[in-house]
Amino acid sequence: MSTAAVRHKRASTLRAASLPKWTPYAIAAGSLALGIGISAAAGLQSKIQWGLIAAILFVVGTYGIAAKVEGRRQAKDRVVTSLVWVAFMVAVVPLVSLVWVTISHGVKVLNVYFLTHSMGVVADSEPGGGIYHAIIGSLEQVGLATLIGAPIGVMTAIYLVEYGRGRLASAITFFVDVMTGIPSIVAGLFILSLMLIFKMQPFGFAGSLALAILMMPVVVRSTEEMLKLVPNELREASLALGVPKWRTILKVVLPTSIGGITTGVMLAIARIAGETAPVLLLVFGNPFINNNPFEGAQASLPLYIYQQYSQSAGANAAYDRAWAASLTLIAFVMILNLVARGIARWKAPKTGR
């Protein structure tokens, strides 16, 4: 027998049996079909129950088939992988369902007219009208909140990471943690109390102040984590060349972490863009266009959705407008995230060999 034949024989004896790559897909298809069959036979009407039964069958089937062919040790590994996939599907299916329902209902009245007209003199129960006034209000309120909250949050994080020592830094960290968990209505009530003290009427900038309060702790936490990821060697190299610390932070630390910081700011914007309670208390809503956020009541997309849906009993027009505004809000947040990714990629430090 030749040497090559001996090596091939030895390799074949040492190689354990393994399932084909398409096995998980076949098990998933079989589990889904069997789960639907069992659910239909048992008279179960909920698709959630169908999915749970199929998921259980998928995990059990994966373990049984893998244990018989590959052994129990490899079967345990495949079961863990199956659980990860099941958890992924449990997280993705509601998201896809939400997007699908929003799109299917929102496209009914979503058109150029809807985006370029306000409610004006249109009653909530009547067809027509649009969300132009709400778009203007949301852009101005969220934009002003970002101009206030993002710089304060970033500078606070820079202080905590680069300068913060002692009791002051500990106190700031504690209050940031507390602010991260406060309900949005609390921020609205805080600004409302100030408005009552100074006898002020509802206006858009008051909503921006409440939204900035909600935004700042998110920006601080995300920026702090990104700054901690910057290697200390970069700081030390800059300082060793005689560069001042403030310039090191400005020219080395921030450009290195700008991608993560931008993503954190966008996440904070996405959070405040959908807040309704502070806007309801402070901005009050306005069916007409108000381009001045510092005077008079304003509308916003979350508040518009709430008002239209609350008036949708027996009024299909208000119901359709609420879904169309929801789809617009989702598109607004998605565009913000795409812009953030583009800025992060553009401003990220260039790497080369």
Side-chain angles (χ1 to χ4, degrees):
M1 184 180 296
S2 63
T3 304
V6 172
R7 291 178 179 175
H8 177 73
K9 182 177 181 180
R10 185 178 300 172
S12 63
T13 57
L14 293 176
R15 187 182 299 119
S18 61
L19 294 171
K21 293 182 179 181
W22 49 264
T23 302
Y25 304 101
I27 297 175
S31 301
L32 183 60
L34 187 58
I36 294 175
I38 294 175
S39 302
L44 301 178
Q45 301 296 328
S46 176
K47 295 181 180 179
I48 297 177
Q49 294 174 324
W50 297 8
L52 291 176
I53 293 174
I56 295 173
L57 291 175
F58 175 66
V59 175
V60 174
T62 299
Y63 180 80
I65 296 174
K68 186 175 181 180
V69 177
E70 300 177 333
R72 292 186 177 182
R73 184 174 182 178
Q74 185 65 22
K76 293 179 180 178
D77 179 75
R78 288 188 176 272
V79 166
V80 173
T81 304
S82 302
L83 291 175
V84 171
W85 277 104
V86 170
F88 171 74
M89 294 302 297
V90 169
V92 168
V93 168
L95 177 62
V96 174
S97 176
L98 173 65
V99 173
W100 171 254
V101 171
T102 305
I103 293 176
S104 60
H105 288 83
V107 296
K108 293 181 179 179
V109 296
L110 185 60
N111 50 37
V112 177
Y113 178 87
F114 182 74
L115 295 175
T116 56
H117 286 74
S118 66
M119 290 301 294
V121 295
V122 179
D124 291 333
S125 59
E126 298 177 354
I131 59 171
Y132 180 75
H133 61 303
I135 294 176
I136 295 297
S138 287
L139 290 176
E140 291 180 349
Q141 294 161 27
V142 173
L144 290 172
T146 304
L147 291 177
I148 298 171
I152 295 177
V154 172
M155 287 188 289
T156 302
I158 291 174
Y159 170 77
L160 292 175
V161 175
E162 304 294 337
Y163 299 98
R165 300 292 185 273
R167 294 183 178 180
L168 179 59
S170 300
I172 293 175
T173 302
F174 172 76
F175 283 111
V176 167
D177 292 337
V178 172
M179 289 177 62
T180 303
I182 64 171
S184 59
I185 190 68
V186 175
L189 289 173
F190 172 70
I191 302 298
L192 180 61
S193 63
L194 297 179
M195 292 175 60
L196 294 177
I197 292 174
F198 293 101
K199 298 180 180 180
M200 304 173 68
Q201 296 297 320
F203 61 110
F205 185 66
S208 299
L209 294 176
L211 296 179
I213 293 175
L214 298 173
M215 181 181 188
M216 281 187 286
V218 180
V219 176
V220 172
R221 273 284 165 251
S222 59
T223 304
E224 188 178 1
E225 294 302 321
M226 291 301 104
L227 294 177
K228 289 179 180 178
L229 293 177
V230 178
N232 285 328
E233 289 78 4
L234 294 177
R235 298 179 176 91
E236 294 170 355
S238 178
L239 295 174
L241 294 174
V243 180
K245 189 169 185 177
W246 69 268
R247 195 171 183 85
T248 299
I249 296 172
L250 187 62
K251 295 295 185 179
V252 177
V253 177
L254 288 180
T256 304
S257 57
I258 189 63
I261 293 174
T262 305
T263 302
V265 172
M266 288 301 107
L267 289 175
I269 294 176
R271 183 204 170 181
I272 65 174
E275 291 291 348
T276 307
V279 179
L280 180 62
L281 286 174
L282 306 172
V283 181
F284 209 67
N286 188 352
F288 296 93
I289 299 173
N290 180 12
N291 294 321
N292 186 3
F294 299 98
E295 183 180 359
Q298 261 192 330
S300 72
L301 282 174
L303 182 58
Y304 178 89
I305 295 169
Y306 169 77
Q307 291 174 338
Q308 292 298 310
Y309 191 80
S310 63
Q311 300 294 329
S312 63
N316 293 329
Y319 183 79
D320 293 338
R321 285 194 296 263
W323 278 109
S326 301
L327 180 58
T328 305
L329 183 59
I330 292 176
F332 172 68
V333 174
M334 183 182 68
I335 292 172
L336 283 178
N337 281 274
L338 292 176
V339 171
R341 288 178 179 272
I343 294 175
R345 183 172 297 182
W346 173 45
K347 291 294 185 179
K350 303 297 186 293
T351 58
R353 302 183 64 178

